[in-house]
Structure formats: structure tokens, C-alpha cells
Amino acid sequence: MPAPVQKRSQRTRARLLAAAEALVERSGFDALRVEEIVLSAGVAKGTFFAHFADKDALMDELIGARLDAHIDALQDLPPPGDVGDLVDRLMPMLTFMSCERYVFDVILRRSGAAAIEEIGPIARTFYRQGEIVIPWIASGPFRKDVPPDVLAEGIQAFAMQVIALRFCALHAAQGIAEPLKRYLSAWLLAPQAR
Amino acid sequence: MPAPVQKRSQRTRARLLAAAEALVERSGFDALRVEEIVLSAGVAKGTFFAHFADKDALMDELIGARLDAHIDALQDLPPPGDVGDLVDRLMPMLTFMSCERYVFDVILRRSGAAAIEEIGPIARTFYRQGEIVIPWIASGPFRKDVPPDVLAEGIQAFAMQVIALRFCALHAAQGIAEPLKRYLSAWLLAPQAR
DNA sequence: ATTTCATATTGACCGCGGTCATCTTTTGGG
DNA sequence: CCCAAAAGATGACCGCGGTCAATATGAAAT
């Protein structure tokens, strides 16, 4: 982890990531086992933990990569025309975030930086999402009495809330988009505009 | 767990809870080990899991009890005069929720019901909190263009957001109350009133 | 080439949550 | 009072994440 210097080390790390990716492809994130990864990559167990602080750090990498791809797709779009637009754009990412309970748990644990210097991939995607959404909010048809960065943080808070509720049997029936649109209409629009 | 019938069973369960409580008192929630609990309670390990589905279920019980005490303190109060009042009332509970990272993790996992029939203590406290806060919102000086139950859910979302941010090194410095007041001022007040 | 030292790798081992076949105790019916 | 069935308790065992002293391998210095 602390700056891999030898190229052998880089290859090993790449093999571990590739093996993990393949296993996830086959049976999902929740079923991923460190033992299977090292077996498939042909290295010893200890080697894994020489490259990743713990299993969560690997998940951070894998999940962060997918989130990043979703964020990339949002880049360079014009501001959304209304709340429905906004939610529709976020939906692919939110759907992935809620594809497995375990995935959402990892995201919750990792969405904040563990330390100032070492911000993980997932935490970085939250930051990137802000960078994209804030200008949208600022130039779109949304309330102006609250700073756009605060509104953007609120969007993340409500998104997490909706996903969390989705994992309860009580709320599993309704999807993510509808409740989120309800929340964000209240959050992003000035009363007279609603 | 499925309706304890014999009184011997009830005593064992009570001993387990008492032992766990004592251990938490001494060294906190995070350091709690099932082995220590059963050792201290004088029962076998398997017995523990005959009374609690898993360790989380016990934590649900312990943490839920403390949350309940905080909710009790809110009962029968008049509506808060403003957002600051509201946050001040919630602070004791939020402070407990953020006393340990592990405690917050358990609350996150358990705040939704696992199944319709079996709502855990923590999920129940979230419901209770709603029952108390909704009338406050409805009769207090807050915006009326959004139903009070939606506003109450938003309060919970923002509270979780603020606590989650507190566990990041980047945001640890600022407390919980100030950021929460900022969010809730934007959430609960109509623009012209701010 | 040989030595040397930082860097990588190894795998036996540990901690701890959770399981289950087996044994013990309680209870209700005769 | 006795006995069978249900309820409860037991502890050896397992899965899996994570550790660490020992070992191997690269690369720079002589």
C-alpha cells in the first residue's frame, strides 16, 4: 500500500484486483472471500494484506471504480430541467449502490474519508459527485436561498436515506426514484414554485 | 427468541443481558465479545445464540434501550420554538449515537426493520421519534408546504448525514449541532422566514 | 560476480462470530 | 409418581478475516 516500488509488486496487486473482479462478476460482492481471491491469483493470503489494509479497502477499490464510471457519464451534461430530470440522472448510480445490502454497507462505511491524506475511491466519488451537481443546482431552476453546496449535500443525504429505507421490508415495495423525487422536490424548490 | 416459554430461559436471557450491560459499562460497546458475555454469565456459547439471532441482535437490544431512554425524555414537551431549540432537544440522543463508530454502524444496520413482523428496538425508536417530532413540526413555526411526516423523515436523514460526516477526519473538528442547525434551517423553514 | 539491504512473499497461526448434534431439564398427561 | 415429548443448554467445531516472524527476491553498491 505505501507506494509500491517494485514492478513485481504492481503485477501482484493487479492480479489480485483482476481475480477479485472476476469472482465478483461470477457471484457478486457479498460472496467474495479473500481466500478465493488469493487462490485464484496464485498468491499467499498474507500477500493480500500486504496490498490492501483489509478486505474493505479492496471493496473500496472495486466499488469505487464502478461509481466512478457512473459519475463519468454525468460529466459535461447541461443542468437538469427539473427535479425529475435530476433524479433520473442519478438513478443508475443509486441503483448500483442498492444492488446488494453489502455494497451499500461498504459505501456507508467508506463514504467518509478515514484520514485527510488517505481518501479512498468511494469517498472521492462522493466529492466528484458534488463537483458536478453543485453547478447544476446553481444554474438550474432550484431555490437560491440556500447555497448550492449545501443543497448538494442534502441530495446525498436523502439518497442515502431512500436506499436505507429500501432495505427494510416495510419500504422495499416502493422503489427508489419516487420517494427520492418527493424528498428532493421539498428540498430543492422554493415553496412558491411547488 | 421465538417466544421464551420457560422461566429458566427468561432467567438465562436476563443474565446474558446483565452481563453484557456490565461489560459495556466497563469497556464500551466496541470491545464487547460474545465469549466474555457467556463466560461472565456462566453459560455456554451456544446458549447465547439460542437467545439472540446474532451479536447485532444483542446490540440492538442494548443500544435500543438507551435510545428509548432519550426518547422518553422528549415525551410531553411543547413544540420547540425554533430550529435551534429542536436541535438542542435532539442533541443528547445524537451524542450517544455518535459516541462510538461501532454504535453508529449498528444503528445504521438496524434502523430499518429487518422484517415486517420483527421490528427491532432500534427501528422502533426511530418510529417513536417520528411520533413525537411530527406533532412538533405540525404545530411549531415551520414550513407548511411539506407534510410534517416528510419533514420529520428529513430530520432523521440529516441527522444521520451529520453523524456520518463527523466520523471523517475532515469533518471531525466541527461538532454535530452546528452543521445540523444549518441543514435544518434550510429544510424546515420557508425561504421568506429565514 | 558477490555482497548487502530494502522490498515482497509466505503460510502457520490467531481471534471471534456463529453452528449443530448431543445431552439435560422441564412440563404435562396417564 | 413415572415417562415421553418439548424446550433449553452444551461445547467441540467451522468459516473467514487478519497477523507476523521467517524466508525469498529484487536492485543498488563494490
Side-chain angles (χ1 to χ4, degrees):
Chain A
M1 291 159 301
V5 281
Q6 297 185 8
K7 61 201 79 163
R8 169 175 57 144
S9 177
Q10 292 172 20
R11 274 204 316 275
T12 305
R13 186 192 155 90
R15 289 238 305 287
L16 285 167
L17 279 169
E21 194 69 63
L23 287 167
V24 166
E25 208 59 46
R26 195 184 319 151
S27 22
F29 289 91
D30 187 49
L32 198 59
R33 296 286 172 269
V34 173
E35 282 227 25
E36 286 186 14
I37 298 171
V38 296
L39 207 71
S40 160
V43 300
K45 203 169 181 182
T47 302
F48 178 94
F49 292 99
H51 287 271
F52 303 96
D54 49 28
K55 193 188 173 189
D56 261 24
L58 171 73
M59 303 306 299
D60 196 342
E61 216 81 35
L62 297 178
I63 295 173
R66 307 217 178 184
L67 291 178
D68 251 325
H70 282 113
I71 303 264
D72 289 342
L74 300 181
Q75 208 112 35
D76 306 321
L77 291 179
D82 57 22
V83 170
D85 262 21
L86 173 64
V87 170
D88 289 343
R89 290 190 188 177
L90 297 179
M91 273 313 292
M93 182 168 46
L94 301 185
T95 301
F96 167 66
M97 284 167 117
S98 56
C99 67
E100 291 180 35
R101 169 89 224 196
Y102 174 62
V103 168
F104 183 57
D105 280 347
V106 173
I107 291 173
L108 276 176
R109 275 198 298 273
R110 292 254 149 190
S111 58
I116 292 178
E117 313 81 38
E118 196 194 317
I119 297 184
I122 291 177
R124 198 153 32 235
T125 63
F126 273 70
Y127 183 77
R128 281 191 67 202
Q129 189 196 326
E131 281 184 320
I132 290 178
V133 169
I134 289 172
W136 286 358
I137 300 295
S139 58
F142 305 110
R143 66 195 287 192
K144 299 287 179 255
D145 61 317
V146 174
D149 60 307
V150 174
L151 291 179
E153 288 172 30
I155 292 173
Q156 291 185 348
F158 282 118
M160 300 305 260
Q161 162 104 336
V162 169
I163 296 175
L165 285 179
R166 205 205 81 113
F167 284 115
C168 310
L170 277 73
H171 304 80
Q174 50 190 315
I176 293 180
E178 290 317 312
L180 185 57
K181 282 178 189 173
R182 269 199 297 280
Y183 281 132
L184 293 191
S185 291
W187 174 234
L188 296 176
L189 303 182
Q192 56 270 27
R194 299 181 63 244
Chain B
M1 290 159 299
V5 280
Q6 298 185 8
K7 62 202 78 161
R8 169 175 59 145
S9 177
Q10 292 172 20
R11 270 203 318 272
T12 305
R13 186 191 155 91
R15 289 239 306 286
L16 284 168
L17 279 169
E21 195 69 64
L23 287 167
V24 165
E25 207 61 46
R26 195 186 317 152
S27 21
F29 289 91
D30 187 49
L32 198 60
R33 297 287 169 271
V34 172
E35 283 227 24
E36 286 185 15
I37 298 170
V38 296
L39 206 72
S40 160
V43 301
K45 203 169 180 180
T47 303
F48 178 93
F49 293 97
H51 287 270
F52 302 95
D54 50 27
K55 194 188 171 189
D56 261 25
L58 170 72
M59 301 308 300
D60 197 342
E61 215 82 34
L62 296 179
I63 293 173
R66 306 216 180 183
L67 290 178
D68 251 325
H70 282 114
I71 304 264
D72 288 343
L74 300 181
Q75 208 113 34
D76 305 322
L77 290 179
D82 57 23
V83 171
D85 260 22
L86 172 63
V87 171
D88 290 343
R89 288 190 189 176
L90 297 179
M91 274 312 292
M93 182 168 47
L94 301 185
T95 300
F96 167 66
M97 285 167 115
S98 56
C99 69
E100 290 181 37
R101 169 88 221 198
Y102 174 63
V103 168
F104 184 56
D105 281 347
V106 172
I107 291 173
L108 277 176
R109 276 198 297 273
R110 292 253 149 192
S111 56
I116 293 181
E117 312 81 37
E118 195 195 314
I119 296 184
I122 291 178
R124 198 152 34 234
T125 62
F126 273 69
Y127 184 77
R128 282 191 66 203
Q129 189 196 326
E131 283 184 320
I132 290 178
V133 169
I134 290 173
W136 286 357
I137 300 294
S139 58
F142 305 110
R143 66 196 286 191
K144 299 287 178 255
D145 61 318
V146 174
D149 59 310
V150 174
L151 292 178
E153 288 172 30
I155 293 173
Q156 290 185 349
F158 282 119
M160 299 306 258
Q161 161 104 337
V162 169
I163 295 176
L165 285 180
R166 205 205 80 113
F167 282 115
C168 310
L170 278 73
H171 306 79
Q174 47 188 316
I176 292 178
E178 290 317 312
L180 186 56
K181 282 178 189 173
R182 269 198 298 278
Y183 282 131
L184 294 190
S185 291
W187 174 236
L188 296 176
L189 303 181
Q192 55 271 23
R194 301 177 62 241

